[in-house]
Amino acid sequence: MYRNTKNVPYYVFGRGSLAQLGDLLKPRREAVDGPVVYFVDHFFRDHELIGRLPMEKGDQLHFVDSSSEPEVTRIDAFKEAVSAADSRIPCCVVGIGGGNALDTAKAVANLLTNPGKAEDYQGWELVKNPAVYKIGIPTLSGTGSECSRTCVLTNIPKNLKLGMNSDYTVYDQLLLDPDLLATVPRDQYFYTGIDTFMHCVESLQGSYRNAIIDAFSVRAVQLCEEIFLSDDMMSEENREKMMIASYIGGMAAGNVGVIHPFSAGLGVVLHVAHGLGNCLALNVLGDIYPKEYKQFRTMIERQGVNLPTGICKDLTEEQYEGLYRGCIVHEKPLTNALGPDFKQILTRENLIERYKSI
């Protein structure tokens, strides 16, 4: 059986293209009697970007705290806030920010047309009704959230980090403006951008392969090497490359390996942001990804990036157990990377020792 694959139907790409958002929203306003609901990274709370949004009377603006990963309870609260402010279904949901804000917008758009809570839809093909029409505008690039079919959510009580994996989660329209990357703090730009490199090399080294995903992955890795091995990863040219790499890499992001599950443990237990978590993961997985580890270390040094240390030092036994369980629960990507006997390689002791070295 071959899966019928859905990608984002439309995108606008180019410097200054944010100015076209009003034109993209116009037909939605005419077609549906409901507000536009914006979910914007809290970084922009007092930023001039807010004044550039084509907001009209009745539209809603919600700021997403990107200092921690999206949690199912927060998604539920956003859904309730949107419905309480206006009982009508929105004509459009707009996500503006990094993967956190983009995933939040996707998750809320799903919940607005499907009953229940966010945790009910963590898994594969659980969303039954089409979501509210949505537009994604990344201001960080690397996670590929703008074009993936999932929105990754943390479920603290269940010690789980898992997405709403569904064709209904895919954005209907993207607006890709490289100028929006110019204000990203340098370390954050690297942590997020390098995610493209990581999920693509994981895909290329796994057993779940197909020629189309390989083609996307190869090109995205090449772009990342050009960006992060250059003298300035944030030059105007490299910002454009980074946005392209994230877009095409995101379409190849479904079959990851060990890095992402390892990072998921950090996200669930210590609330480490996804991009940074991936960097910390690869930094202790050099035996599994030796070539990529060496490239990664060269990139960090070339770009002058700071990688925190001591994050997992002197944790409780309960926390170490949570890290282990938060990683090992991801059977599909671990099997993709290491085979069905992955638990014999990544034993509890092996994983906890790796976490302790972070």
Side-chain angles (χ1 to χ4, degrees), residues 57-276:
K57 184 178 179 180
D59 288 349
Q60 299 181 34
L61 177 61
H62 300 272
F63 288 101
V64 179
D65 184 353
S66 58
S67 60
S68 61
E69 295 291 284
E71 297 179 12
V72 289
T73 54
R74 190 195 307 174
I75 300 303
D76 294 337
F78 273 133
K79 185 263 183 181
E80 292 302 322
V82 170
S83 299
D86 194 321
S87 61
R88 297 173 298 171
I89 293 294
C91 68
C92 185
V93 167
V94 181
I96 304 176
N100 194 317
L102 295 176
D103 278 3
T104 295
K106 289 194 286 186
V108 175
N110 281 341
L111 279 192
L112 287 169
T113 55
N114 288 273
K117 297 183 177 182
E119 68 175 8
D120 299 333
Y121 300 99
Q122 283 187 284
W124 280 262
E125 317 305 341
L126 299 176
V127 181
K128 302 304 180 183
N129 300 318
V132 173
Y133 187 96
K134 51 196 175 295
I135 297 175
I137 306 174
T139 64
L140 276 169
S141 288
T143 67
S145 175
E146 65 270 20
C147 59
S148 74
R149 69 187 302 273
T150 189
C151 46
V152 181
L153 309 176
T154 300
N155 190 324
I156 301 297
K158 293 185 178 179
N159 202 39
L160 182 67
K161 184 176 179 180
L162 188 63
M164 296 181 181
N165 291 273
S166 164
D167 282 352
Y168 295 134
T169 307
V170 178
Y171 273 108
D172 300 284
Q173 169 80 57
L174 295 179
L175 199 158
L176 305 173
D177 185 344
D179 283 348
L180 297 177
L181 303 183
T183 58
V184 179
R186 191 170 184 84
D187 283 0
Q188 182 64 50
Y189 181 97
F190 181 89
Y191 298 152
T192 306
I194 202 69
D195 189 23
T196 292
F197 174 79
M198 292 185 186
H199 62 234
C200 286
V201 297
E202 286 179 286
S203 176
L204 289 168
Q205 292 195 24
S207 58
Y208 305 151
R209 303 276 296 273
N210 81 51
I212 293 177
I213 288 178
D214 280 4
F216 285 140
S217 296
V218 167
R219 182 55 184 144
V221 168
Q222 289 173 343
L223 285 168
C224 287
E225 290 171 344
E226 293 173 13
I227 294 163
F228 296 115
L229 294 176
S230 70
D231 292 333
D232 180 11
M233 63 182 177
M234 294 188 70
S235 68
E236 183 177 298
E237 178 184 4
N238 280 335
R239 293 199 306 269
E240 290 188 350
K241 287 182 179 180
M242 189 70 259
M243 194 156 266
I244 296 168
S246 179
Y247 175 70
I248 63 175
M251 290 188 283
N255 298 324
V256 292
V258 183
I259 298 170
H260 277 71
F262 196 98
S263 174
L266 293 169
V268 168
V269 177
L270 301 177
H271 310 296
V272 175
H274 179 68
L276 175 58

Side-chain angles (χ1 to χ4, degrees), residues 26-43:
K26 184 178 179 181
R28 299 305 309 163
R29 295 186 188 278
E30 294 173 349
V32 179
D33 180 27
V36 174
V37 178
Y38 295 87
F39 289 97
V40 183
D41 191 307
H42 78 292
F43 174 84

